[in-house]
Amino acid sequence: MIAVLRAGPLLTAQDAGRPGLAHLGVPPSGAADRQSYDLANALVGNAPGTACLEATLGGSALRLDPPAVVAVTGAEADAHLDGSPLPLGEARDGALLELGPCRSGVRAYIAVRGGVDVEPVLGSRSHDQLTGLGPPPFRDGDIVPVGRPGPERCQTPSRCPTPVGETLTVVPGPRADWFTLDGLVSTAWRISPASNRIGTRLEGPPLERLRTDELLSEGVVTGAIQVPPSGLPIVLGPDHPTTGGYPVIAVVRGSDLRLAGQLAPGATVRFRLE
Amino acid sequence: MTPRVLPAGDHAALVEVDDNAAAVRLARALRTRGGFVDVVPGHRTVLVTWEGERPALALDPGDDETVFPGRLVEVPVVYDGADLEEVATLTRLDVADVVAAHTAREYTVGFVGFSPGFAYLLGGDDRLRVPRLDTPRERVPAGSVALAGPYSAVYPQESPGGWRLVGRTDLVLFDAARRRPALLEPGDRVRFTAR
């Protein structure tokens, strides 16, 4: 089990989410930086799709009882295992994991061998910030069950980059012609502190709409850049509503979604149109 | 109009069709043929997503009249919503006529969104078209039966909401532990009955 000594700003269970249920209004959910999450599992020898902890902004302290193999990936933060530094992307055996605040990126992934074994909901152990599906965020003092380790061997990848980038590659969205794309790509957008797993809100000069008709609700994907009447774009995160009535001007490329999941409040981001 | 395929990212496409019936039919056909991760009807669109290579996107819904229309669900309602009087004022009907108009039609689940199990019901009486509230409520109770624009809906969970509340039902619209978690799926039909 994992005893949560200190949860930090937001500590949730995340896995591969709930794909395939969008037509019932169930968000995809799952780890916001999927590659870092996959890597964390591989490092500790968990099967792909095993639930990890997603520590937003870092700051968590956990006691593993019994001691277990643990790894941290994703956002750059000082991690200590039993008092010794635990480099990002290395798996070690230990009991007390302390994670400092994120210096670069916002979401650290903590994988424990055996995985976070909370009760799945609709096939997933992910907490969904929009709907509340899945286990609620962990609090100080919570006890989190750990699953039985599988037969997988721990992998030792050559590198563990923190996915941080100031430029995200986008492709035109279904309603790109409702705007001029110039405004989107020529602006250094500031990440609003009101951002969360549902969406990353951007601040800057409002985008001007070329069409004023109302859009009928349509399905949207993670990474879609929606433009509400304020003209300030929102990059949809994994817990986004499955349908929306705001036009989607562009969509972040799949390979850059991990960067979108690591955008820090106050930082700037630019978009490159492909 | 032939369906229009719009870009929606490198693992998704948005198909625009004539009307909701076409969207529901196409979504059903694409789901049956398989290959996509998600097939999401909207009011007049179908979003498809995939992993890896894009599966064949056949835009001909085919002849699936044998499985369509969807199943019929009866929703018993106590018409005592907080906005019922105002809906009557806005529509220049009296309350009894609002209830009569709302229970007279058979609705179709056009699409589901906003929250798990929140079904946008089309096919209502045009006289009952009312705008959303200027200021959404912070808390709408689960089971609230509500109107906005061309839609009727039942709030599956307590949530914020800007629709006009006309009544309430005891039915559980969404339960993650059920085999069919959503009571209403795209293409299903609904009848409201006054209790």
Side-chain angles (χ1 to χ4, degrees), chain A residues 34-44 71 73 89 157 159-161:
Chain A
R34 197 58 64 88
Q35 285 87 342
S36 295
Y37 153 80
D38 285 339
L39 179 61
N41 269 332
L43 284 165
V44 301
T73 63
R159 59 197 197 97
C160 173

Side-chain angles (χ1 to χ4, degrees), chain A residues 215-235:
Chain A
L215 187 71
L216 295 168
S217 284
E218 56 193 27
V220 289
V221 296
T222 304
I225 304 177
Q226 266 191 349
V227 186
S230 68
L232 298 180
I234 301 170
V235 185

Side-chain angles (χ1 to χ4, degrees), chain B residues 9-20:
Chain B
D10 48 14
H11 289 95
L14 187 72
V15 186
E16 206 169 45
V17 294
D18 275 344
D19 53 25
N20 182 254

Side-chain angles (χ1 to χ4, degrees), chain A residues 18-28 34 121-122 128 130-131 133 171-177 211 214-222 224 241-244 248 251-255 274, chain B residues 4 6-12 14 16 31 37-45 47-49 51 111-118 120 132 150-151 157 174-178 181-182 184-186:
Chain A
R18 304 183 177 84
L21 298 173
H23 65 295
L24 304 180
V26 176
R34 197 58 64 88
V121 175
L122 294 171
D128 179 343
L130 178 75
T131 67
L133 286 173
V171 292
R175 307 299 168 190
D177 59 344
R211 293 176 57 166
E214 206 173 325
L215 187 71
L216 295 168
S217 284
E218 56 193 27
V220 289
V221 296
T222 304
T242 55
T243 59
V248 170
V251 184
V252 177
R253 291 207 57 164
S255 51
E274 199 161 81
Chain B
R4 225 165 40 115
L6 303 171
D10 48 14
H11 289 95
L14 187 72
E16 206 169 45
R31 179 170 300 283
V37 175
D38 271 300
V39 179
V40 191
H43 189 119
R44 224 166 52 196
T45 53
L47 175 82
V48 289
T49 69
E51 273 172 8
F111 57 100
V112 179
F114 175 66
S115 74
F118 189 101
Y120 288 74
R132 288 172 169 77
Y151 307 115
Q157 305 85 10
F174 190 88
D175 178 354
R178 280 196 305 231
L184 304 176
E185 297 189 6

Side-chain angles (χ1 to χ4, degrees), chain B residues 3 15 22-39 46 48-49 54-65 67:
Chain B
V15 186
V24 168
R25 251 198 321 271
L26 178 60
R28 196 173 281 245
L30 290 172
R31 179 170 300 283
T32 307
R33 287 172 203 154
F36 293 101
V37 175
D38 271 300
V39 179
V46 179
V48 289
T49 69
R54 183 176 111 171
L57 180 53
L59 298 178
D60 167 22
D63 182 22
D64 64 348
E65 297 301 319
V67 292

Side-chain angles (χ1 to χ4, degrees), chain A residues 159-221:
Chain A
R159 59 197 197 97
C160 173
T162 294
V164 173
E166 217 186 78
T167 304
L168 304 190
T169 307
V170 299
V171 292
R175 307 299 168 190
D177 59 344
W178 286 42
F179 304 87
T180 55
L181 281 162
D182 295 355
L184 182 72
V185 296
S186 66
T187 302
W189 297 95
R190 200 181 146 83
I191 313 300
S192 158
S195 302
N196 54 24
R197 289 180 43 86
I198 300 165
T200 300
R201 293 168 177 271
L202 307 180
E203 294 168 347
L207 295 177
E208 212 176 309
R209 216 159 130 161
L210 302 176
R211 293 176 57 166
T212 50
D213 20 344
E214 206 173 325
L215 187 71
L216 295 168
S217 284
E218 56 193 27
V220 289
V221 296

